[in-house]
Amino acid sequence: MYGKMHSTCLYGIDGVIIQVEVDISNGLPQTSIIGLPDSAIREAVERVRAGIKNCGFTFPLQRVTINLAPADLKKEGSAFDLAIALGILVTSGQLLLPQDEKLLLIGEMALDGSLRPVNGVLSMVDRAKREGFTAVLLPEENAGEAALIDHMNIYAIRHLNELRQLAAEHSAADVPGKDQPLRIQTLSPLLKATTVAAASVPDHLPAEDYADVLGQLHVKRALTIAAAGMHNILLIGPPGTGKTMLIKRLPTILPFMTEQEALETTKIFSAAGKLKEPGSGLIRRRPFRSPHHTISSGGLIGGGTIPKPGEVSLAHRGILFLDELPEFNRQVLEVLRQPLEDKTVTISRARAVHTFPAHFMLAASMNPCPCGYLGSDHPEHQCTCSFSRIAQYRAKISGPLLDRIDLQVEVPRPKEWSTDAPSLSSAEMRNQVLEAHARQQQRYGSGYGSWNSELTGSALRRFARLDSASADMLHQTIETLGLSMRAYDRILKLARTIADLDGQENIAFNHVAEAIQYRNLDRPQITGVG
């Protein structure tokens, strides 16, 4: 007796369709699972055996072989339990499923036959739709997440007994194992009202607002530029000047994600098991990830036997905030260099190469020196660090990584403490960002990305042209400061964003000058070293 079901598993953050083949033959009672299963899949035998018996079915006292194809692909997780259980019941002639739909089966089974949710359902169902499946049967807790994929019939159950009860309504036999199996003519009674309406984007902003930050108008200007073009930014200043406070409010001025961006981000969070409310629709607000400085390279980039997404992928289309940047292990920071350039993370293993999306804005903060008070004009807090200690402290951040940070901004102690001092609110800053972003989308269409920071090669030369005076000043700056060609390109992109914020189609001299002055750490007189 031979039967075949279809299930799926995660491979990285993408779903992969797996054929669950069941063969039942005469021989000593034994059940084996082949096809490179992990421990959780091998243990499915005992879960399925108990679940089938506790639902009133009969587990075959024969030789049962279950093959997960393709056999050369390493598989992990508990999403195959339902497919294995139904494969055994259908192959042994105890149950008949309807043949009018191409059905995918997902779900972990408890010992009593109830179903438990699994991670990564959004990616799994999305893959199934692209491979021609029309329906999916899965645990009720996963139904809202699965319903985010259009044009798929979602059948949700809480217990295997629901299939038994449904079959009994249409079958001539009340007891399985007789001449006629329990027959399910249609799954439609199991269809839950799981269609999730398009998530409405809230008009209000979070409680955190830039209006709470007194003064620091030049830093707010830099943050507005960073948000308008998705440029990387580093804030440098003594303790207590508001660096962390300023960066944590960045999400309040960023545009909401597009439909495609929201789907990409939600799939990553689903695969990582971090989707807090699966039935609430796609994630619309841009992610803000702030890992502790003790994080490992694998935690930041992703890893594992079958690699899982790390913090850079969880920050996809959002912000990765590294507070106290020099406190991070230098080797950990160095792994950021590739994703900052390529917007993806590539992890190689013996059997496969995995590529995760990692299109994020890097936001970081640091003290100017080990004691933190270099450049502080406070009479009680004078810097006591030697030039060699400062150089050693700064050396924790490599030149190539620093080269990839577009804005390096000093955050001094605020001069004005009055609440009546002029201050920009998140709403005002966000309006500027939205206008600049709209100009970029209109200019680039669908061919060059959505942000100025994505411009490369000929597109950068085409959309970020300089007049002769601006070009001469930029070339002279590059020669004087010894900047790299990467820094040259990033200054161009920054000037393009500043022009967009000013509503100008052409980059002017003052736009380039402002972009150059944000390269603070490239100027020896600012660093205090040498």
Side-chain angles (χ1 to χ4, degrees):
M1 293 181 288
Y2 171 82
K4 182 170 68 174
M5 300 288 125
H6 290 91
S7 188
T8 178
C9 70
L10 282 178
Y11 208 58
I13 61 171
D14 297 317
V16 178
I17 301 300
I18 302 296
Q19 296 179 11
V20 180
E21 300 177 298
V22 178
D23 179 80
I24 302 177
S25 59
N26 294 328
L28 292 175
Q30 180 183 354
T31 303
S32 59
I33 300 179
I34 59 177
L36 292 182
D38 72 344
S39 298
I41 299 174
R42 284 193 292 268
E43 292 169 353
V45 172
E46 302 306 322
R47 292 194 297 271
V48 169
R49 189 196 310 273
I52 286 177
K53 289 181 177 179
N54 289 329
C55 290
F57 293 103
T58 301
F59 194 89
L61 295 176
Q62 296 170 279
R63 181 177 181 84
V64 180
T65 303
I66 300 161
N67 180 43
L68 305 179
D72 61 343
L73 182 70
K74 180 73 175 177
K75 303 158 191 80
E76 67 173 3
S78 56
F80 299 107
D81 289 10
L82 182 60
I84 292 172
L86 292 184
I88 291 173
L89 293 177
V90 170
T91 306
S92 62
Q94 301 178 63
L95 190 67
L96 283 180
L97 293 176
Q99 302 297 315
D100 57 339
E101 292 185 297
K102 191 174 181 182
L103 184 65
L104 184 74
L105 303 171
I106 304 172
E108 177 185 333
M109 184 174 291
L111 298 183
D112 64 349
S114 60
L115 295 186
R116 292 175 174 149
V118 297
N119 293 331
V121 164
L122 187 62
S123 297
M124 295 174 182
V125 178
D126 184 49
R127 168 65 68 179
K129 177 187 174 183
R130 286 187 273 130
E131 296 202 10
F133 285 80
T134 58
V136 57
L137 178 65
L138 76 177
E140 191 174 47
E141 289 91 335
N142 288 131
E145 184 180 344
L148 296 173
I149 304 299
D150 296 329
H151 309 299
M152 285 286 286
N153 293 329
I154 310 300
Y155 302 110
I157 59 175
R158 289 174 291 183
H159 202 283
L160 191 62
N161 269 337
E162 292 183 38
L163 292 178
R164 180 183 178 85
Q165 294 165 3
L166 183 63
E169 296 174 4
H170 305 291
S171 178
D174 293 329
V175 181
K178 299 296 182 182
D179 294 336
Q180 287 186 322
L182 288 172
R183 182 187 302 272
I184 300 177
Q185 295 180 356
T186 176
L187 287 169
S188 57
L190 296 175
L191 182 60
K192 308 296 181 182
T194 54
T195 302
V196 179
S200 58
V201 177
D203 294 328
H204 67 279
L205 291 172
E208 293 184 340
D209 194 292
Y210 274 115
D212 303 330
V213 183
L214 300 177
Q216 305 291 19
L217 294 182
H218 76 289
V219 184
K220 291 182 180 180
R221 166 70 173 176
L223 290 165
T224 303
I225 295 170
M230 286 297 277
H231 300 286
N232 303 321
I233 184 169
L234 171 65
L235 300 186
I236 312 143
T241 55
K243 302 184 296 295
T244 302
M245 187 179 183
L246 284 158
I247 291 180
K248 283 189 174 180
R249 283 160 172 73
L250 255 179
T252 66
I253 65 174
L254 287 172
F256 292 112
M257 290 189 286
T258 64
E259 195 74 18
Q260 181 60 34
E261 289 175 339
L263 180 60
E264 291 174 4
T265 303
T266 308
K267 285 171 64 175
I268 294 171
F269 274 75
S270 173
K274 298 184 181 296
L275 204 56
K276 295 181 180 178
E277 298 178 5
S280 62
L282 299 176
I283 295 174
R284 299 288 174 174
R285 289 195 176 278
R286 297 187 181 275
F288 183 89
R289 305 295 299 180
S290 180
H292 192 261
H293 65 259
T294 55
I295 191 172
S296 65
S297 298
L300 190 62
I301 292 297
T305 305
I306 298 180
K308 298 295 184 184
E311 288 292 332
V312 296
S313 295
L314 293 171
H316 181 61
R317 300 295 181 183
I319 300 167
L320 177 66
F321 175 37
L322 302 183
D323 200 7
E324 301 299 338
L325 189 64
E327 300 303 323
F328 285 79
N329 185 291
R330 177 167 175 147
Q331 291 182 340
V332 172
L333 293 178
E334 289 305 293
V335 301
L336 288 173
R337 286 159 61 174
Q338 184 229 351
L340 284 174
E341 287 294 320
D342 301 338
K343 312 302 182 185
T344 59
V345 171
T346 301
I347 301 176
S348 299
R349 292 292 182 264
R351 290 185 174 272
V353 176
H354 300 263
T355 300
F356 298 141
H359 193 327
F360 60 91
M361 176 204 299
L362 176 63
S365 67
M366 63 177 286
N367 293 328
C369 66
C371 77
Y373 294 104
L374 177 67
S376 173
D377 56 359
H378 195 282
E380 300 298 326
H381 296 289
Q382 297 296 323
C383 178
T384 59
C385 303
S386 65
F387 281 177
S388 61
R389 282 193 67 201
I390 296 173
Q392 185 179 14
Y393 179 76
R394 295 282 179 87
K396 294 181 180 180
I397 309 170
S398 69
L401 178 61
L402 197 61
D403 211 26
R404 289 165 167 81
I405 300 178
D406 307 288
L407 296 100
Q408 305 153 11
V409 185
E410 285 191 318
V411 185
R413 292 181 65 253
K415 302 292 185 183
E416 181 60 65
W417 296 91
S418 171
T419 56
D420 297 329
S423 181
L424 282 174
S425 68
S426 289
E428 295 172 306
M429 295 168 67
R430 188 168 188 270
N431 287 336
Q432 297 179 45
V433 170
L434 291 178
E435 290 176 6
H437 187 220
R439 292 188 184 96
Q440 294 169 61
Q441 289 181 309
Q442 183 178 7
R443 181 188 303 122
Y444 305 136
S446 58
Y448 299 98
S450 302
W451 306 91
N452 288 329
S453 59
E454 299 175 26
L455 291 176
T456 57
S458 60
L460 178 61
R461 304 295 180 262
R462 174 183 173 187
F463 294 112
R465 287 193 183 131
L466 302 180
D467 57 39
S468 58
S470 301
D472 290 343
M473 177 185 63
L474 181 54
H475 291 155
Q476 184 177 357
T477 302
I478 294 295
E479 291 297 325
T480 302
L481 299 181
L483 301 181
S484 66
M485 288 306 298
R486 180 186 292 111
Y488 176 88
D489 285 351
R490 288 184 176 272
I491 290 173
L492 279 182
K493 298 174 190 178
L494 206 57
R496 176 68 273 171
T497 300
I498 295 171
D500 287 334
L501 282 168
D502 287 351
Q504 302 295 321
E505 188 57 34
N506 296 320
I507 299 175
F509 186 90
N510 61 301
H511 300 145
V512 179
E514 183 176 359
I516 292 172
Q517 65 95 17
Y518 287 122
R519 306 286 302 191
N520 275 341
L521 291 182
D522 292 323
R523 292 180 283 172
Q525 66 270 25
I526 296 297
T527 65
V529 183

